Amino acid sequence: MSQEAIIAASGAYPKPAQTFQYGTAGFRMKAELLPSVVFRVGLLAALRSKFKNGQVIGVMITASHNPPPDNGVKLIDPMGEMLESSWEAYGTALANAESDEAVYEYYTQLEQKFNIKKDVVPQVIYGSDTRESSPALVQALKDALDAVGVKSQGFGAVTTPQLHYIVRCLNTQGTDHAYGEPTLEGYYKKLSTAFNQLMTNRSNGSVTVDCANGVGGPKLRELQPYLNNSIEITVTNDDTETFSKLNSQSGADYVKTNQRLPPSVSAQPLARYASLDGDADRIVYYYVDKNSIFHLLDGDKIATLAASFIGDLVHSSGITDFSIGVVQTAYANGSSTAYIEKQGLPTVCTPTGVKHLHHAALAYDCGVYFEANGHGTVLFSPSALQRIFSHAPESPAQDTALTHLKNITELINQTVGDALSDLLLVEVILAHKRWTPDLWDACYTDLPNRLEKAEVEDRNAYKTTDAERKLTHPAGLQDKIDALVGKYDQARSFVRPSGTENVVRVYAEAATKVQADELAQKVKALLK
Ligand code: G16
């Protein structure tokens, strides 16, 4: 493509006086600051596809759990995973190039650096969530893709995990590891076929799903007709027309952070409730007990449920020497880690961000990874899948367990955390175990905990180590945190800069709620 074409197209999207950074989940900030970033991400996606010999790269425009005025953009690599970390820096540099000429120059530098062949036709697919700002940002993306001759296709409003799924399907079709049909219908069919088989002759009452007034609402409604009648799903908070309602007083982040019901939900004792986030890649469950006390069943509880269920199926199928590991972050409740280790399963702690967890989960035959906020999935290694699908059962009981296990591998979206797939997974497991939410909850008791946000002058001044459990900068702050932690029972606290919001996060847990709240407040006060 000509130098003039790229420079002219870039000229329509001038860079504001702002420094950008590819963070936990791509670029994320106030939507009005993003057009130039999205345009340049389009260029990066083209280069990434060329570098990958024309494989399809995905671009998702979303700010997920962030408030309605925000938006964001992130890249999806060919197997449906997050963009390889080493390329994030190129995205950051491109986004910060000060002129259209500098954009072109950096683009050609990357072409040379990666020895990119001119004759490879790049392919990019894209989608967005339901934000008011999304269509204009999609246009910026399209302009970039057109400027550099990309073969592109838009999927409109989709959940983030749906786009990840389609990317993987497109790049594997016709191979012996084809992932599915690269359409939304293919996605619904894949999930529902596995779900319906797992739920044959089973039923599990009803679940009410709060969709955060995001794209998960319409997509869950699209999925429903494919499901058999084994569960009744009531969809709530699914108003995507009123933009200001997105993630407001609803959704997984609201429920997890505030540890309470969304105000719109009046819960019946022991009934199941779940909340998605704005792009439906996170889910948390909850219920109220007979005394109307709220109980959260978060990502840690989903991880332990999934790991133990899959472990039982592997064992009952007669498959041996099969490793299952659970990957968590510093936010994992101390009780969940202790519970998993008591089950004899290894746990690993990584920094926040599914890209880190995903990578660590690849070390196992089956890697279960979940952030406490409900973002996660289960990965089966290629060799594990090969063993599962070629295993010869030696009894009817082994045959049944093996069939369930095969269906579980199809039900789970193995590209990335997926609230719709995780919803069906939890429903299946609870139905198989005949567990009410309180029985699930009884596996272990969470240590009381508190998550706070602090606005600071410069969040980049906060640097962490040890999977974000300790601060190295500002100097001396960690010692002060440690001194406070030492004053409480079973206490733990850490501070880390958010990668999606302009804040620093403070987490504290302790033996009692009063202690956890007090510790969080005192640590937060250190940041002033
Ligand atoms: C994103 C990431 C998650 C992360 C969350 C909060 O979620 O995908 O891995 O836990 O942000 O990150 P931070 O604490 O760095 O702001 P989502 O659902 O907003 O895409």
Side-chain angles (χ1 to χ4, degrees):
M1 289 297 122
S2 77
Q3 178 174 356
E4 291 74 25
I6 296 174
I7 291 177
S10 175
Y13 298 102
K15 176 185 173 292
Q18 175 86 26
T19 307
F20 300 105
Q21 194 179 353
Y22 200 105
T24 311
F27 294 100
R28 221 177 256 194
M29 58 191 55
K30 292 273 170 286
E32 66 259 25
L33 295 170
L34 276 168
S36 66
V37 175
V38 173
F39 178 89
R40 295 162 187 210
V41 164
L43 301 182
L44 188 73
L47 285 172
R48 183 77 183 150
S49 172
K50 285 189 183 193
F51 176 67
K52 291 281 178 185
N53 271 322
Q55 288 191 87
V56 178
I57 295 295
V59 180
M60 183 69 195
I61 293 178
T62 177
S64 191
H65 76 275
N66 289 42
D70 289 10
N71 214 324
V73 60
K74 55 188 171 190
L75 289 190
I76 303 168
D77 258 356
M79 283 304 107
E81 69 278 48
M82 302 283 186
L83 174 68
E84 186 189 297
S85 310
S86 63
W87 273 61
E88 293 177 4
Y90 309 132
T92 298
L94 207 46
N96 289 314
E98 283 303 339
S99 66
D100 304 321
E101 288 73 20
V103 168
Y104 175 77
E105 210 166 288
Y106 192 63
Y107 179 83
T108 48
Q109 267 175 30
L110 288 176
E111 273 186 327
Q112 281 158 17
K113 178 180 170 78
F114 292 109
N115 209 4
I116 283 176
K117 296 190 203 92
K118 298 273 179 211
D119 55 346
V120 175
V121 178
Q123 299 190 73
V124 174
I125 67 167
Y126 53 89
S128 66
D129 66 19
T130 52
R131 285 163 203 266
E132 190 173 13
S133 57
S134 290
L137 294 175
V138 166
Q139 189 57 51
L141 176 70
K142 275 163 78 176
D143 286 351
L145 300 178
D146 290 347
V148 287
V150 173
K151 189 174 158 211
S152 68
Q153 189 185 356
F155 282 82
V158 285
T159 71
T160 294
Q162 285 178 329
L163 198 69
H164 284 250
Y165 162 88
I166 294 171
V167 167
R168 176 135 162 194
C169 292
L170 286 167
N171 288 314
T172 55
Q173 59 187 347
T175 70
D176 57 4
H177 53 282
Y179 196 61
E181 211 183 292
T183 59
L184 287 185
E185 197 191 354
Y187 169 89
Y188 298 130
K189 278 191 189 154
K190 178 167 171 155
L191 262 54
S192 61
T193 303
F195 175 82
N196 292 342
Q197 287 182 21
L198 283 157
M199 292 298 283
T200 305
N201 298 327
R202 286 185 166 81
S203 63
N204 198 26
S206 65
V207 58
T208 300
V209 185
D210 149 34
C211 299
N213 297 308
V215 67
K219 298 303 160 186
L220 179 53
R221 287 198 188 281
E222 282 173 24
L223 169 65
Q224 276 182 301
Y226 293 86
L227 304 175
N228 61 16
N229 294 323
S230 53
I231 50 165
E232 192 189 317
I233 301 177
T234 304
V235 180
T236 64
N237 291 331
D238 62 335
D239 177 2
T240 55
E241 309 275 301
T242 316
F243 298 121
S244 58
K245 285 191 179 174
L246 177 68
N247 295 323
S248 171
Q249 304 282 301
S250 63
D253 205 61
Y254 176 89
V255 173
K256 168 72 182 161
T257 310
N258 296 296
Q259 306 194 17
R260 72 161 83 107
L261 295 169
S264 59
V265 172
S266 64
Q268 299 302 310
L270 299 182
R272 295 191 304 283
Y273 297 86
S275 285
L276 319 182
D277 68 344
D279 63 342
D281 58 6
R282 290 198 216 170
I283 185 168
V284 294
Y285 267 74
Y286 43 95
Y287 70 101
V288 298
D289 64 21
K290 289 183 180 133
N291 302 315
S292 299
I293 309 280
F294 171 86
H295 295 261
L296 179 67
L297 297 155
D298 63 4
D300 299 339
K301 283 258 153 90
I302 298 174
T304 51
L305 185 73
S308 72
F309 185 68
I310 292 167
D312 288 348
L313 286 181
V314 169
H315 181 72
S316 306
S317 309
I319 297 173
T320 51
D321 296 327
F322 192 95
S323 62
I324 299 181
V326 180
V327 184
Q328 305 184 304
T329 69
Y331 292 109
N333 196 277
S335 299
S336 75
T337 313
Y339 174 79
I340 297 161
E341 285 171 355
K342 226 166 100 189
Q343 310 289 305
L345 297 177
T347 59
V348 182
C349 183
T350 73
T352 299
V354 280
K355 58 192 175 197
H356 301 296
L357 290 102
H358 192 99
H359 187 73
L362 293 171
Y364 302 95
D365 291 324
C366 172
V368 178
Y369 74 79
F370 270 88
E371 296 184 299
N373 63 22
H375 203 169
T377 189
V378 180
L379 304 182
F380 291 88
S381 73
S383 72
L385 287 173
Q386 204 268 332
R387 281 172 63 201
I388 291 168
F389 281 85
S390 63
H391 182 70
E394 287 174 1
S395 68
Q398 285 194 356
D399 190 34
T400 304
L402 188 65
T403 305
H404 291 333
L405 186 58
K406 288 177 183 170
N407 279 319
I408 286 287
T409 67
E410 292 286 303
L411 178 62
I412 293 167
N413 184 343
Q414 294 186 49
T415 63
V416 78
D418 181 338
L420 299 184
S421 160
D422 291 340
L423 170 77
L424 299 183
L425 176 68
V426 170
E427 290 300 315
V428 162
I429 300 175
L430 295 180
H432 277 240
K433 288 184 175 280
R434 295 172 194 269
W435 273 5
T436 46
D438 53 329
L439 285 175
W440 173 17
D441 197 20
C443 289
Y444 63 86
T445 305
D446 274 327
L447 280 168
N449 58 88
R450 180 97 195 177
L451 182 58
E452 286 284 335
K453 289 178 193 183
E455 293 191 3
V456 294
E457 208 164 289
D458 177 15
R459 70 177 151 146
N460 293 318
Y462 293 78
K463 304 226 181 300
T464 62
T465 183
D466 189 20
E468 301 182 324
R469 290 174 286 197
K470 289 205 176 317
L471 281 174
T472 55
H473 295 84
L477 188 51
Q478 186 61 47
D479 291 342
K480 291 183 185 157
I481 296 172
D482 290 344
L484 282 173
V485 167
K487 294 183 182 157
Y488 297 88
D489 306 318
Q490 291 177 272
R492 197 164 69 84
S493 178
F494 63 86
V495 168
R496 58 172 283 278
S498 162
T500 61
E501 295 172 60
N502 196 16
V503 295
V504 164
R505 300 200 196 280
V506 176
Y507 177 85
E509 67 182 34
T512 66
K513 184 164 172 356
V514 172
Q515 290 192 30
D517 288 350
E518 192 178 294
L519 177 57
Q521 291 310 331
K522 289 202 168 159
V523 172
K524 190 174 169 184
L526 294 176
L527 309 179
K528 291 208 173 108

